[in-house]
Amino acid sequence: MDSTYQKGKKGKKKNLSESKKDRVSAYLYIAPFFIIFGVIGLYPALFSFYLAFQKWNGLGEMSFVGLNNFKIVLEDPLFWKSLYNTIVIGLIGTAPQIVIGIILAILLNVAFLRFRSFFRVTIFMPYITSMVAVALIFSVIFSDHQSSLANYVLGLFGADPVSWGTSEWGTKIAISIMVFWRWVGYNTIIYLAGIQSIPNDVYEAATIDGASKFQQVIHITLPLLKPFILLTVFFSTVGALQLFSEPTVFLGASAFTRDEAMTVVMYLYRDAFKLQSFGTASATAIILLVVIIIFAAINTYLTSGIGKKRRRG
Amino acid sequence: MNTAAKKRKPSMGKVFVYLFLTLASALSLFPFYWMFVMATQTSSAYNSIPPTITPGNLLVENFQKVLLQIDFFGALWTSFLLCTIVTLVVLFISSLAGFAFAKFHFPAKNFLFITILLTMIIPPQLGLIPQYFLIAKAGLLDTLSGVMILFFLNPLGIFLMRQYVSDSVPDELIEAAKLDGCSNFKIYRSIVLPIILPAFATLGIIVFTAVWGEFLWQFTILRDPENYTIQVALASLSNTFNVDFGMILSGVFWATVPLIIIFLLFNRLFISSIAEGSVK
């Protein structure tokens, strides 16, 4: 590759010293990223693997404990509880996002729509607020109090008030709603970009062939949107498994002492910075990495079937 | 399909489309409105049945209580400083590297580029603990520099910049500049940079909003309330057991209003940035 390149350059009447200069420049220009990555990306990641096999309180000596940290974490019911919480919240919070996001994007793209940019802006707006702000706003809407807005609305339907901040399902549902609210507009925008990249003549041809709007969505929009759906499913899965700020801020002072909404990252954080058990926290980080890879792979595999199945049916 | 059916069908569809979108818009906006209402009410207003849904007149009083709890403007300034510096550094690093990947030939180029893409997969939590100790060792714990260093790492930036440079900077222009004896860095500064400014807006918005809203790392590094960013400061508002909702939401309100104004001014740019950034 090297020699062909030089020959090519010679053909363009370039001398060797200049291509050398180019090479030096190029390496210089990409160096900052790799230096930063080495110091604060790669080294810490590798060090986590090392730390996962050590017992360490952050101050004293480390001592090698083999797989013991993994054993401690995997035998801790609270870890499994946190993994369960993360998956449940992730599922309720992100799966509807994808479906509703696609519907919203399709509707935002219909030809006759007026106030298009108004709808687009308002649906996207939750994304610009920070998750901390969202968690605080929703902690008021979903407060435990009988008269909180969420409980009042439930009351209108004849349901009993829920202790949103302390009950097993109350916390999970409230946090899922926050996640859904903030991200659905974001996904909508990505799908809208995807829909707009589909050439119009495909639809025109389908219309001429007598396909209804609904058939066009099923047979044209969805299959062609697949790369975008895969992308959002991947990012939603990874993001959901890394959930931290929403439950932490929503639960406030009691965030690390209760387990209804403790997520894996909160469990990790608690081990490290509340209990000074950095070895088990690192082991948790590695377990989380494995979980993320598995879930991302499964979800990507499942989603890649979307267009095919629909087309067959 | 006869004409009558054709006429009736779309109108039913139209009603559905508008109904669905209006409902979605209302649900999107409502929490913002509720935040404003609570920011203007006494804490006891949230105890009333039915819940108060009209603004009161305590917008200023509640905010004064916030100012007693946290250094609101200090935290806002810290966040602003953090995001601005991070954005500028990321733009510089990414555009330079993007330029190199787009316009230079060098050994291991593809391998290095793929490596950069792969770094995106490493979840931020994996390195959290060693990163914390690195920052501590460097004496940067509880400082703004300690927070910002982590955000300098931005593989997506290089990816976007490479795409943009190879799409919009013609090779001939660079060749010509070289014949005129321009150094590579001068080519970057006076030819590439002006052409890719629009991409700076896109990447800048993505980086700025991401850093602005980040919480885990800021929360881990910053301990002294004096150094809090706005996210950590806001989170600290709810850290007592007897919470004053009027006060909390007033803090959130005043921290969100500037964002909303900036967003409404540049919403086109925001939305296209996010779409571009995620779609590549």
Side-chain angles (χ1 to χ4, degrees):
Chain A
M1 183 182 148
D2 200 1
S3 63
T4 28
Y5 157 70
Q6 280 174 5
K7 258 183 241 156
K9 278 288 158 182
K10 265 182 198 161
K12 282 184 194 168
K13 288 175 189 137
K14 282 281 168 77
N15 57 40
L16 256 174
S17 78
E18 192 166 336
S19 78
K20 214 178 207 172
K21 235 197 272 170
D22 278 3
R23 242 189 265 174
V24 173
S25 304
Y27 285 128
L28 271 178
Y29 295 170
I30 64 173
F33 175 86
F34 284 99
I35 293 170
I36 295 172
F37 173 66
V39 177
I40 61 166
L42 188 63
Y43 170 72
L46 294 176
F47 197 78
S48 280
F49 280 96
Y50 175 75
L51 206 51
F53 297 96
Q54 310 286 326
K55 188 180 162 114
W56 192 40
N57 63 6
L59 294 169
E61 293 281 298
M62 292 183 194
S63 58
F64 180 77
V65 291
L67 290 170
N68 205 34
N69 288 328
F70 291 93
K71 205 175 152 228
I72 293 173
V73 173
L74 292 173
E75 282 177 358
D76 183 0
L78 188 58
F79 167 76
W80 291 103
K81 173 78 176 150
S82 74
L83 183 60
Y84 167 77
N85 290 345
T86 311
I87 294 170
V88 169
I89 296 172
L91 201 65
I92 312 177
T94 59
Q97 245 178 57
I98 289 155
V99 179
I100 305 277
I102 294 173
I103 296 174
L104 283 172
I106 291 170
L107 297 187
L108 280 174
N109 200 47
V110 295
F112 62 79
L113 189 68
R114 283 157 175 250
F115 316 113
R116 194 188 304 266
S117 55
F118 168 80
F119 286 124
R120 207 174 58 166
V121 166
T122 53
I123 289 167
F124 183 68
M125 217 156 105
Y127 175 72
I128 64 151
T129 52
S130 71
M131 213 60 239
V132 170
V134 177
L136 289 170
I137 296 169
F138 279 72
S139 69
V140 181
I141 294 177
F142 289 93
S143 81
D144 285 351
H145 202 277
Q146 267 207 3
S147 62
S148 72
L149 192 68
N151 280 336
Y152 177 74
V153 172
L154 280 184
L156 293 181
F157 293 100
D160 291 330
V162 173
S163 349
W164 297 103
T166 47
S167 70
E168 178 66 32
W169 282 97
T171 43
K172 289 192 183 61
I173 289 171
I175 293 166
S176 305
I177 291 175
M178 280 181 228
V179 174
F180 174 81
W181 182 76
R182 177 153 188 258
W183 288 96
V184 69
Y186 178 88
N187 281 353
T188 305
I189 294 304
I190 294 174
Y191 298 140
L192 192 57
I195 290 175
Q196 284 168 349
S197 71
I198 301 172
N200 219 3
D201 36 340
V202 184
Y203 290 107
E204 276 162 22
T207 312
I208 291 168
D209 288 346
S212 71
K213 286 275 180 250
F214 183 72
Q215 283 170 326
Q216 290 180 18
V217 165
I218 298 294
H219 297 286
I220 299 174
T221 313
L222 277 184
L224 291 176
L225 206 54
K226 206 165 91 178
F228 297 86
I229 299 175
L230 280 171
L231 187 86
T232 53
V233 166
F234 180 80
F235 283 118
S236 304
T237 310
V238 174
L241 290 167
Q242 297 174 354
L243 194 71
F244 176 80
S245 14
E246 297 84 340
T248 306
V249 178
F250 181 71
L251 298 175
S254 62
F256 293 100
T257 56
R258 291 219 320 272
D259 64 358
E260 297 93 350
M262 181 168 290
T263 62
V264 177
V265 180
M266 286 173 76
Y267 178 83
L268 185 164
Y269 188 92
R270 171 179 161 276
D271 256 15
F273 299 107
K274 303 273 171 191
L275 306 176
Q276 270 74 44
S277 174
F278 291 98
T280 55
S282 297
T284 309
I286 289 160
I287 297 169
L288 177 64
L289 176 67
V290 174
V291 171
I292 288 176
I293 292 172
I294 293 172
F295 270 83
I298 294 175
N299 284 351
T300 310
Y301 175 74
L302 289 179
T303 340
S304 63
I306 283 182
K308 284 178 212 149
K309 264 182 225 153
R310 295 265 166 94
R311 245 180 289 174
R312 234 182 276 136
Chain B
M1 213 186 268
N2 60 41
T3 41
K6 244 185 195 169
K7 252 183 213 164
R8 221 181 316 130
K9 225 180 163 189
S11 73
M12 277 287 289
K14 268 185 192 180
V15 171
F16 170 76
V17 169
Y18 280 111
L19 213 64
F20 198 90
L21 288 178
T22 308
L23 187 71
S25 285
L27 289 176
S28 290
L29 290 182
F30 182 77
F32 290 103
Y33 175 72
W34 180 252
M35 163 180 83
F36 172 67
V37 168
M38 279 292 133
T40 60
Q41 290 284 1
T42 56
S43 225
S44 59
Y46 95 101
N47 286 338
S48 67
I49 297 178
T52 323
I53 51 160
T54 50
N57 51 11
L58 296 176
L59 197 58
V60 177
E61 284 84 341
N62 278 336
F63 188 54
Q64 282 165 344
K65 283 195 237 164
V66 173
L67 296 181
L68 291 177
Q69 294 284 323
I70 58 172
D71 178 10
F72 182 85
F73 293 107
L76 210 57
W77 173 245
T78 306
S79 274
F80 177 75
L81 216 58
L82 170 73
C83 296
T84 308
I85 297 173
V86 168
T87 305
L88 292 177
V89 171
V90 168
L91 289 181
F92 181 67
I93 293 177
S94 308
S95 57
L96 214 48
F99 172 44
F101 278 115
K103 297 296 175 193
F104 290 94
H105 299 272
F106 51 94
K109 178 165 128 172
N110 292 334
F111 169 76
L112 291 172
F113 189 67
I114 289 168
T115 308
I116 291 182
L117 295 188
L118 286 177
T119 64
M120 285 200 252
I121 298 174
I122 302 178
Q125 295 81 18
L126 185 64
L128 182 72
I129 293 159
Q131 280 157 352
Y132 171 83
F133 284 106
L134 261 176
I135 298 297
K137 225 174 191 175
L140 296 175
L141 216 55
D142 219 357
T143 66
L144 197 57
S145 330
V147 176
M148 70 180 60
I149 287 172
L150 195 73
F151 297 116
F152 290 162
L153 196 63
N154 194 315
L156 178 72
I158 296 183
F159 185 63
L160 284 176
M161 284 300 161
R162 189 198 77 143
Q163 295 287 105
Y164 202 84
V165 173
S166 48
D167 287 353
S168 58
V169 181
D171 287 338
E172 295 75 24
L173 209 56
I174 292 175
E175 297 285 317
K178 271 187 181 165
L179 287 179
D180 288 348
C182 261
S183 73
N184 281 327
F185 191 74
K186 197 168 177 217
I187 293 176
Y188 165 77
R189 214 188 50 204
S190 47
I191 297 175
V192 178
L193 215 55
I195 297 179
I196 62 174
L197 275 181
F200 273 16
T202 301
L203 181 60
I205 283 176
I206 293 173
V207 174
F208 199 98
T209 43
V211 177
W212 185 272
E214 200 279 341
F215 180 66
L216 175 60
W217 179 244
Q218 300 178 14
F219 182 64
T220 307
I221 291 300
L222 301 174
R223 292 295 154 85
D224 184 349
E226 245 178 61
N227 302 322
Y228 278 177
T229 55
I230 192 69
Q231 304 308 334
V232 184
L234 286 179
S236 74
L237 284 179
S238 71
N239 252 342
T240 50
F241 280 95
N242 46 346
V243 283
D244 178 347
F245 286 139
M247 184 267 291
I248 292 177
L249 285 198
S250 157
V252 178
F253 175 78
W254 289 110
T256 309
V257 163
L259 281 185
I260 295 179
I261 293 172
I262 295 172
F263 170 65
L264 290 179
L265 285 175
F266 300 106
N267 77 71
R268 228 166 247 283
L269 206 54
F270 265 89
I271 290 177
S272 61
S273 292
I274 299 304
E276 246 172 76
S278 52
V279 177
K280 288 167 208 173

